[in-house]
Amino acid sequence: MNSPPSCSSALTHSTSSSNTDTPPSPSAAVCRALLLIQSDDLSLKIEAAKEIRRLTKTSQRCRRQLADAVKPLVCMLRVGDDDSVENESALLALLNLAVKDEKNKISIVEAGALESIISFLQSQNSILQEYATASLLTLSASTINKPVISACGAIPLLVEILRNGITQAKVDAVMALSNLSTHSDNLEIILKTNPIPSIVSLLKTCKKSSKTAEKCCALIESLVGFHEGRTALTSEEGGILAVVEVLENGSLQSREHAVGALLTLCQSDRFKYREPILREGVIPGLLELTVQGTPKSQSKSQTLLRLLRDTPYPRSELQPDTLENIVCNIISQIDGDEQSGKAKKMLAEMVQVSMEQSLRQLQQRALVCTPTPK
């Protein structure tokens, strides 16, 4: 494989090439930034960092071509105090270099950036704290980085930002925690920081169809797999209701996490959690998911409906274990005309949709079976 052209040649040649096997030459701007970032003059380094941030904002090619800037940028993080412009400039440049670039994510951590970034999480400068949280969100998307970030003590600090940070920092913190939670060893570390009250608080205020709600519900679904997580969610005022609201109004992925969380609760102790879940008006949302959810959501919703009725087992041969009979059984036990009426309406709509789907399938089969004229 041909090696990439050097920056010196790129300054005198066109950045395009007719040879498709030759990587595109770095532009003059890329080469200048790489030269300046190596300078001993701090003002030139800051200028280079700002230029690297600009070049990598939307260009994947530039992120690759500027990979050699990682080490000098990490060195810049160790200079100055919380209010220093070099810290902010270097951090934003590294953040852009890491976006959608797995190699840069790993090399930034290997270059020793985490020590500085984690110290910024404790900064009194809320802007620097926000940028540091965003950086950890991006770096934690790498599977290789997840255990390293955790080992550096980032998780308790991210939870603290989730409690007390500015709005955007809270959003980035919950997303970073969601990324880190997919590494098995990290989940128990997150649980020990008692994050659920803060996650529920953010879930209550964010748009239920947002990515933030999806990550909140993903975390809750994972955490309620533990006794401490279930206790925290049900002890938090409006905790179950917040999950039910996402189940009704969230994105398809959010609703899948929400129903998964509620199912985990009910499966762990049906008699303990059945009433609290029913009390928050979960039935209409579950009925809708049985028809319109993802395949996982549909299956989980039907299982949860069976657990929510008076008994999870078929009553008799005279009352078949159909979804309609299960829901009717639940509705008959619900207090409140409004909730019961809404559930009955949803059930009627569900049956109608099911009948229409069955009719379409019959029509399609009829067309397949009808012989074509000769």
Side-chain angles (χ1 to χ4, degrees):
M1 181 181 292
N2 295 329
S3 60
S6 67
C7 279
S8 58
S9 65
L11 290 170
T12 55
H13 292 83
S14 168
T15 59
S16 62
S17 173
S18 59
N19 184 356
T20 56
D21 293 329
T22 303
S25 302
S27 67
V30 166
C31 293
R32 181 173 181 274
L34 285 172
L35 291 172
L36 291 182
I37 200 65
Q38 302 286 352
S39 171
D40 293 331
D41 187 325
L42 185 57
S43 63
L44 292 180
K45 282 180 174 290
I46 293 171
E47 181 185 344
K50 290 179 178 179
E51 182 67 0
I52 290 167
R53 179 192 177 192
R54 184 188 70 80
L55 291 168
T56 54
K57 187 173 183 179
T58 57
S59 173
Q60 184 63 39
R61 178 189 298 175
C62 285
R63 291 180 196 125
R64 282 286 77 235
Q65 293 173 339
L66 285 162
D68 287 342
V70 166
K71 287 185 179 180
L73 284 168
V74 170
C75 289
M76 282 180 69
L77 293 179
R78 300 171 183 146
V79 179
D81 54 31
D82 281 0
D83 294 320
S84 63
V85 67
E86 57 263 36
N87 280 342
E88 182 177 318
S89 300
L91 194 56
L92 289 172
L94 287 167
L95 176 59
N96 280 6
L97 278 167
V99 172
K100 297 181 180 179
D101 193 301
E102 181 72 8
K103 290 182 179 179
N104 282 349
K105 285 182 176 71
I106 295 168
S107 65
I108 288 169
V109 170
E110 288 178 342
L114 285 181
E115 182 180 352
S116 297
I117 292 173
I118 288 172
S119 73
F120 298 153
L121 291 180
Q122 304 169 77
S123 171
Q124 297 302 308
N125 182 336
S126 61
I127 300 302
L128 191 60
Q129 188 182 86
E130 179 185 340
Y131 294 156
T133 308
S135 298
L136 282 182
L137 165 59
T138 302
L139 295 173
S140 64
S142 166
T143 301
I144 292 174
N145 287 344
K146 292 177 185 186
V148 185
I149 292 172
S150 173
C152 288
I155 286 175
L157 296 173
L158 286 169
V159 174
E160 183 59 31
I161 287 173
L162 182 56
R163 289 192 187 102
N164 300 311
I166 60 178
T167 302
Q168 186 56 51
K170 287 183 178 182
V171 169
D172 289 345
V174 83
M175 290 188 175
L177 288 167
S178 180
N179 283 347
L180 292 171
S181 72
T182 61
H183 187 274
S184 57
D185 293 341
N186 288 344
L187 199 53
E188 291 192 41
I189 299 172
I190 294 171
L191 187 68
K192 288 177 182 177
T193 64
N194 190 29
I196 284 185
S198 301
I199 297 171
V200 169
S201 178
L202 182 59
L203 185 57
K204 287 178 180 178
T205 57
C206 74
K207 189 175 180 181
K208 299 303 178 283
S209 59
S210 65
K211 196 73 174 176
T212 304
E214 179 186 323
K215 295 301 182 181
C216 285
C217 281
L219 263 177
I220 290 172
E221 182 182 15
S222 297
L223 293 170
V224 295
F226 299 84
H227 172 73
E228 299 92 332
R230 295 190 290 274
T231 301
L233 180 64
T234 52
S235 299
E236 186 66 21
E237 185 177 355
I240 291 180
L241 177 59
V243 176
V244 169
E245 287 176 343
V246 174
L247 184 145
E248 292 178 334
N249 302 308
S251 65
L252 284 175
Q253 197 60 48
S254 298
R255 297 173 82 185
E256 185 177 305
H257 290 307
V259 72
L262 296 175
L263 179 59
T264 298
L265 282 177
C266 217
Q267 285 177 326
S268 70
D269 191 334
R270 194 181 80 86
F271 295 101
K272 181 177 181 179
Y273 296 114
R274 175 180 174 273
E275 287 301 326
I277 293 172
L278 281 174
R279 194 162 52 237
E280 301 301 352
V282 71
I283 300 302
L286 285 178
L287 284 172
E288 188 175 339
L289 275 186
T290 61
V291 177
Q292 299 179 354
T294 64
K296 283 186 179 179
S297 296
Q298 291 178 352
S299 175
K300 289 177 180 180
S301 297
Q302 291 177 17
T303 303
L304 182 54
L305 282 167
R306 288 182 169 87
L307 289 171
L308 288 174
R309 67 175 176 174
D310 189 37
T311 170
Y313 307 107
R315 289 173 174 261
S316 71
E317 293 180 2
L318 297 176
Q319 189 181 31
D321 193 28
T322 64
L323 195 56
E324 290 84 355
N325 282 336
I326 290 167
V327 175
C328 286
N329 173 255
I330 297 171
I331 292 170
S332 68
Q333 304 164 53
I334 294 175
D335 293 328
D337 293 338
E338 182 180 348
Q339 190 186 145
S340 180
K342 186 176 181 182
K344 288 177 181 176
K345 183 181 177 183
M346 289 292 300
L347 177 58
E349 290 173 354
M350 183 191 75
V351 172
Q352 179 66 27
V353 170
S354 179
M355 289 175 63
E356 289 173 357
Q357 289 175 340
S358 297
L359 181 60
R360 281 196 296 271
Q361 289 172 354
L362 287 171
Q363 289 172 338
Q364 289 171 353
R365 287 175 188 168
L367 288 173
V368 170
C369 295
T370 302
T372 55
K374 294 183 179 178

